[in-house]
């Protein structure tokens, strides 16, 4: 029952479909072997020839399948070819961008192109965040009791309504040195990443929860701003926030806008099918989200180290302003040559 | 899709046809819910294992350091512990979030759990599975799975009974968990956002189909040497179609004597022959070859006969 592949066997085969198969069998087997090795993860054992041959062999076998469907009734061969083409398709059209090349493409234009593509959502999210801050301020200004429901417990230690100017000043300039810096930065990163992922992912519910999350977070900011304003420390507080805040709030803005973008695309898909609209928006938004994670790492480093090392208001303001302009320039300032990646 | 493919596939409602960029229609099978749940639990188990091992190793290092000397905030020992804590926080974050990304971005497009259960991720449109898709579907995993679980855990630990927060968290959890039950492609929310779906990876056993292909048996079997033992006329071949041909192929490949004897007798009755005793296989091989030749010639002429009723 040995499979004959010699030329004589091809000639001896009575059926035209068998001759067809015997003539092409070697290509099929070679593709099968390459695919099997790649499926087992033994990429290093593949020769360059095999890697180069893979797309060609895939197309050859795909065309064999098309022909076989029209000319052969050999169910085993058809099933084999279908499975083989499918396995090869997984590999040929699988995720092939290495992490390095993807990152280059991503940082060299893919990220800022995606950020620019959601400009409308950015404006909406920005308006919501400003509104949230104002609402937080006004609520607390109207009734100081609001402060305790707006500001989570971890910030409300000494920073409560009625605290003296000296106490508040102390919170801005010298009470964090007890924290282990690096661990604190790592913790902050994890925490902020959680908030951003949530703002993004909640956009799935047509964007509304994302906006509510933004309002809630910025209302806290507004309430604290009111507290320090009352003590005449507005600028010092702004500087204290800004050193990492311009990066962190920008990142949260991007995350909220990314979520909103998905929600808006699903609610108003336009002429596209809703699933396609959701998928396109989702891929664009996920690029933005990778940027958000990178920005949060920067923000955590700034907060963990920068704020403790720079213990004066002008220095902090300077770093914060520089970071803000840096991000604005990176996202909107100039266009990279490698445009249109990933979002097509 | 041709008749051969559609008759071969089981009718479980999970079959889809995907058009590759080359224009070839490929049948795909959507992964079963059991396989996906199994894959998820396996992956969670692996992640838990990795986290536990890392924690134990770091704790043992820290423990050794602590017993070695007194802990001070600013001494070198304090710095070591601080570094260990940073490593721990970052590793835990990475394990939870990057585990899926790392494996699904690899050439195999599947986490270890998915590989074990024989499923993988593909792009719904038949094109390339891009890094953005994998990132998008895994970003949402956090909101679908980990966050509500954390909320449920914290809600139930506070005071023991589940208050409104616990109910809300459970509802949140269930909405996303049940999401795949309410759409026909069994997409979870992350799949909708990413434009991906989870399909069965083809079975390995199909590889063996080559060596036991019936054509090889027919050609190399005993019937090939004593070829002209059976001759079939036009009328004797005209009774069956493609469906019966493939049933016959399956019987020949299974190679069970009693089944072949039954089929042999059925065919003989149908075409008006008298069935003998011990020559079922040579007869069936010859009939299979003749019938396939006739049907394939018809195919090339544009005439197809789906089954005996056609």
């Amino acid at each position: 029952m040995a499979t004959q592949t010699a030329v004589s066997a091809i000639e001896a085969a009575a059926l035209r479909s068998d001759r067809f198969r015997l003539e092409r069998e070697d290509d099929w087997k070679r593709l099968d072997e390459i695919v099997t090795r790649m499926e087992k993860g033994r990429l290093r054992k593949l020769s360059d020839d095999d890697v180069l041959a893979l797309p060609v062999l895939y197309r050859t076998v795909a065309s064999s399948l098309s022909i076989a469907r029209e000319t052969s009734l050999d169910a085993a061969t058809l099933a084999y070819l279908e499975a083989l083409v499918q396995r090869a398709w997984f590999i040929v059209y699988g995720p092939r961008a290495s992490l390095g090349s993807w990152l280059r493409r991503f940082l060299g234009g893919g990220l800022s192109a995606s950020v620019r593509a959601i400009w409308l959502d950015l404006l909406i999210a920005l308006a919501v965040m400003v509104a949230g801050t104002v609402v937080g301020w006004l609520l607390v200004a109207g009734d100081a009791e609001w402060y305790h429901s707006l500001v989570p417990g971890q910030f409300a230690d000494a920073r409560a309504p009625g605290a003296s100017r000296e106490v508040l000043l102390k919170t801005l300039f010298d009470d964090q040195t007890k924290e282990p810096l690096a661990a604190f930065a790592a913790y902050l990163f994890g925490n902020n990443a959680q908030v951003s992922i949530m703002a993004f992912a909640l956009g799935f519910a047509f964007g509304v929860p994302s906006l509510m999350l933004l309002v809630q977070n910025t209302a806290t900011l507004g309430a604290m701003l009111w507290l320090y304003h009352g003590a005449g420390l507005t600028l010092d507080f702004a500087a204290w926030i800004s050193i990492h805040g311009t990066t962190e709030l920008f990142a949260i803005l991007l995350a909220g806008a990314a979520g909103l973008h998905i929600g808006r695309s699903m609610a108003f898909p336009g002429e596209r099918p809703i699933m396609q609209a959701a998928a396109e928006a989702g891929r664009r938004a996920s690029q933005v989200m990778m940027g958000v994670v990178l920005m949060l790492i920067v923000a955590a480093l700034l907060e963990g180290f920068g704020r403790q090392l720079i213990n004066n208001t002008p220095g902090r303001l300077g770093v914060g302003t520089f970071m803000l302009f840096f991000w604005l320039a990176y996202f909107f300032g100039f266009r990279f040559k490698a445009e249109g990646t990933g979002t097509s | 899709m041709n008749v051969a493919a559609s008759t071969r596939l089981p009718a479980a409602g999970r079959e889809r046809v995907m058009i590759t960029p080359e224009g070839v229609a490929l049948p795909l099978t959507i992964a079963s819910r059991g396989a996906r749940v199994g894959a998820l639990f396996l992956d969670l188990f692996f992640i838990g294992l990795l986290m536990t091992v890392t924690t134990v190793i770091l704790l043992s290092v820290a423990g050794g350091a602590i017993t070695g000397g007194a802990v001070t905030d600013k001494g070198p020992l304090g710095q070591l512990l601080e570094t260990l804590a940073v490593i721990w926080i970052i590793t835990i974050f990475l394990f939870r979030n990057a585990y899926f990304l790392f494996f699904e971005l690899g050439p195999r497009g599947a986490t270890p759990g998915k590989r074990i259960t024989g499923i993988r991720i593909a792009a719904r449109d038949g094109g390339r599975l891009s890094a953005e898709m994998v990132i998008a579907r895994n970003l949402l995993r956090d909101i679908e799975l980990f966050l509500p679980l954390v909320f449920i855990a914290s809600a139930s630990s506070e005071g023991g009974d589940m208050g409104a927060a616990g109910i809300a968290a459970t509802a949140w959890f269930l909405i996303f968990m049940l999401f795949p039950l309410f759409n026909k492609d069994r997409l979870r929310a992350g799949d909708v956002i990413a434009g991906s779906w989870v399909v069965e990876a083809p079975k390995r056993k199909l590889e063996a189909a080559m060596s036991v292909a019936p054509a090889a048996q027919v050609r190399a079997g005993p019937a090939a040497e004593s070829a002209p033992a059976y001759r079939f006329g036009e009328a004797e071949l005209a009774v069956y179609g493609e469906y019966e041909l493939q049933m016959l192929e399956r019987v020949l490949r299974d190679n069970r004597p009693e089944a072949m004897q039954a089929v042999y007798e059925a065919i003989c009755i149908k075409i008006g022959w008298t069935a003998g005793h011990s020559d079922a296989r040579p007869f069936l091989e010859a009939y299979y070859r003749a019938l396939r030749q006739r049907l394939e010639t018809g195919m090339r002429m544009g005439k197809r006969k789906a089954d005996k009723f056609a």
Side-chain angles (χ1 to χ4, degrees):
Chain A
M1 228 182 263
T3 313
Q4 300 167 30
T5 52
V7 178
S8 61
I10 299 176
E11 283 164 358
L15 288 169
R16 211 195 276 191
S17 56
D18 281 344
R19 289 201 291 276
F20 167 83
R21 204 194 79 165
L22 290 171
E23 281 163 11
R24 286 161 180 78
E25 218 166 35
D26 290 342
D27 279 348
W28 303 352
K29 280 180 182 161
R30 182 157 177 227
L31 180 66
D32 194 338
E33 202 183 315
I34 295 175
V35 167
T36 305
R37 257 185 285 168
M38 291 185 88
E39 282 174 348
K40 286 183 179 158
R42 295 182 194 141
L43 295 176
R44 288 202 191 117
K45 286 191 185 167
L46 283 180
S47 67
D48 290 348
D49 279 353
D50 286 344
V51 174
L52 288 175
L54 175 66
V56 181
L57 282 172
Y58 162 70
R59 284 183 181 85
T60 310
V61 177
S63 106
S64 287
L65 172 60
S66 295
I67 297 170
R69 278 177 174 162
E70 297 309 317
T71 59
S72 175
L73 287 171
D74 181 353
T77 301
L78 283 170
Y80 172 79
L81 281 178
E82 271 175 4
L84 181 58
V85 171
Q86 192 186 333
R87 283 162 62 202
W89 173 80
F90 279 138
I91 288 174
V92 172
Y93 289 101
R96 256 198 328 185
S98 74
L99 199 62
S101 73
W102 178 80
L103 207 64
R104 248 195 325 280
R105 210 157 44 89
F106 171 73
L107 291 177
L111 172 58
S112 23
S114 297
V115 169
R116 282 197 300 274
I118 63 167
W119 64 273
L120 182 59
D121 309 280
L122 279 174
L123 286 183
I124 298 173
L126 181 63
V128 168
M129 286 176 80
V130 171
T133 315
V134 172
V135 166
W137 177 297
L138 291 179
L139 280 178
V140 187
D143 179 1
E145 279 307 301
W146 273 102
Y147 189 86
H148 298 286
S149 40
L150 285 180
V151 179
Q154 73 210 57
F155 295 125
D157 38 15
R159 304 164 219 184
S164 70
R165 187 174 191 278
E166 284 65 40
V167 171
L168 290 177
L169 201 59
K170 236 178 133 180
T171 62
L172 293 185
F173 288 106
D174 54 23
D175 81 327
Q176 308 105 6
T177 42
K178 286 176 225 142
E179 299 258 18
L181 301 187
F184 183 57
Y187 161 77
L188 277 176
F189 166 68
N191 197 44
N192 291 335
Q194 211 61 67
V195 172
S196 316
I197 289 175
M198 208 149 125
F200 163 71
L202 285 175
F204 193 75
F206 299 101
V208 176
S210 293
L211 298 182
M212 286 164 59
L213 196 71
L214 289 183
V215 169
Q216 188 222 325
N217 275 285
T218 49
T220 307
L221 179 67
M224 290 180 77
L225 197 58
W226 169 83
L227 179 69
Y228 283 92
H229 177 74
L233 293 169
T234 318
L235 190 65
D236 295 306
F237 179 73
W240 181 78
I241 281 282
S242 81
I243 187 165
H244 78 288
T246 49
T247 302
E248 186 184 276
L249 290 174
F250 205 149
I252 291 175
L253 168 72
L254 287 183
L260 188 61
H261 183 65
I262 293 180
R264 220 166 44 83
S265 311
M266 291 179 73
F268 309 105
E271 311 214 325
R272 299 165 295 177
I274 185 166
M275 294 299 259
Q276 191 197 337
E280 281 173 12
R283 293 201 285 272
R284 200 172 295 133
S286 70
Q287 287 233 337
V288 175
M289 284 306 293
M290 291 306 282
V292 167
V293 171
L294 290 182
M295 288 174 78
L296 288 175
I297 293 175
V298 175
L301 294 178
L302 284 172
E303 174 152 15
F305 296 98
R307 190 152 77 192
Q308 270 91 358
L309 298 179
I310 306 172
N311 214 357
N312 61 76
T313 296
R316 286 173 175 174
L317 262 186
V319 174
T321 318
F322 169 77
M323 289 313 295
L324 179 64
F325 280 104
F326 170 77
W327 294 118
L328 285 175
Y330 177 65
F331 291 134
F332 304 104
F334 54 96
R335 317 242 151 170
F336 297 86
K337 276 186 184 159
E339 278 287 330
T341 43
T343 56
S344 57
Chain B
M1 203 193 325
N2 67 16
V3 180
S6 61
T7 49
R8 187 174 42 77
L9 295 167
R14 293 196 280 128
E15 281 69 41
R16 301 287 181 275
V17 176
M18 184 205 58
I19 311 291
T20 70
E22 292 80 27
V24 179
L26 276 186
L28 278 179
T29 309
I30 304 281
S32 73
R33 296 184 183 100
R36 294 184 69 171
V37 171
L40 179 64
F41 277 118
L42 282 171
D43 284 328
L44 290 180
F45 174 73
F46 293 143
I47 293 173
L49 201 66
L50 285 170
M51 285 182 173
T52 314
V53 169
T54 321
T55 309
V56 166
I57 289 174
L58 288 177
L59 273 182
S60 70
V61 173
I66 288 169
T67 50
V71 184
T72 54
D73 269 349
K74 289 295 162 191
L77 205 55
Q79 279 170 8
L80 173 69
L81 291 179
E82 183 189 318
T83 316
L84 288 177
V86 172
I87 294 174
W88 186 78
I89 290 175
I90 292 175
T91 340
I92 297 300
F93 180 82
L94 281 183
F95 276 146
R96 206 185 68 189
N97 290 284
Y99 173 91
F100 292 95
L101 277 184
F102 175 78
F103 286 110
E104 292 183 357
L105 273 176
R108 285 171 277 187
T111 57
K114 288 197 178 67
R115 278 218 296 285
I116 291 171
T117 52
I119 58 180
R120 58 168 297 151
I121 302 159
R124 276 209 301 277
D125 60 6
R128 180 177 299 287
L129 180 67
S130 64
E132 289 78 35
M133 293 183 187
V134 176
I135 291 166
R137 79 188 296 280
N138 284 307
L139 276 176
L140 234 67
R141 194 189 301 277
D142 226 51
I143 212 86
E144 291 175 19
L145 187 65
F146 294 122
L147 275 184
L149 283 184
V150 168
F151 284 168
I152 292 175
S154 71
S156 57
S157 67
E158 281 167 18
D161 64 329
M162 303 274 277
I167 294 169
T170 311
W172 175 358
F173 181 67
L174 287 179
I175 284 173
F176 283 115
M177 281 299 109
L178 300 179
F179 198 91
L181 297 180
F182 296 107
N183 63 82
K184 70 177 167 60
D185 288 338
R186 305 183 180 191
L187 308 174
R188 63 176 180 82
D191 287 318
V192 172
I193 287 303
S196 60
W197 58 5
V198 182
V199 295
E200 279 181 7
K203 299 277 188 300
R204 320 276 294 149
K205 67 182 175 191
L206 280 165
E207 286 170 53
M210 284 301 276
S211 57
V212 293
Q217 288 177 7
V218 170
R219 202 173 50 252
E225 278 88 58
S226 56
Y230 296 102
R231 289 191 183 282
F232 302 97
E234 186 65 19
E236 286 153 350
L237 293 172
V239 291
Y240 289 122
E242 291 170 12
Y243 177 77
E244 289 76 21
L245 180 76
Q246 270 152 17
M247 288 296 120
L248 181 53
E249 178 183 342
R250 195 172 301 167
V251 169
L252 281 170
R253 280 202 287 143
D254 288 351
N255 203 12
R256 283 174 25 239
E258 63 273 27
M260 289 200 293
Q261 185 64 29
V263 173
Y264 168 48
E265 283 164 14
I267 292 178
C268 282
I269 291 167
K270 185 88 180 172
I271 66 177
W273 285 29
T274 315
H277 278 296
S278 57
D279 49 357
R281 187 165 181 96
F283 170 86
L284 290 179
E285 282 173 352
Y287 189 81
Y288 172 80
R289 192 163 43 158
L291 179 60
R292 203 174 117 188
Q293 182 148 33
R294 182 191 139 80
L295 289 173
E296 288 187 353
T297 309
M299 276 170 94
R300 276 191 288 275
M301 301 299 153
K303 284 182 293 187
R304 302 193 69 153
K305 184 174 165 63
D307 54 36
K308 61 186 174 186
F309 306 110

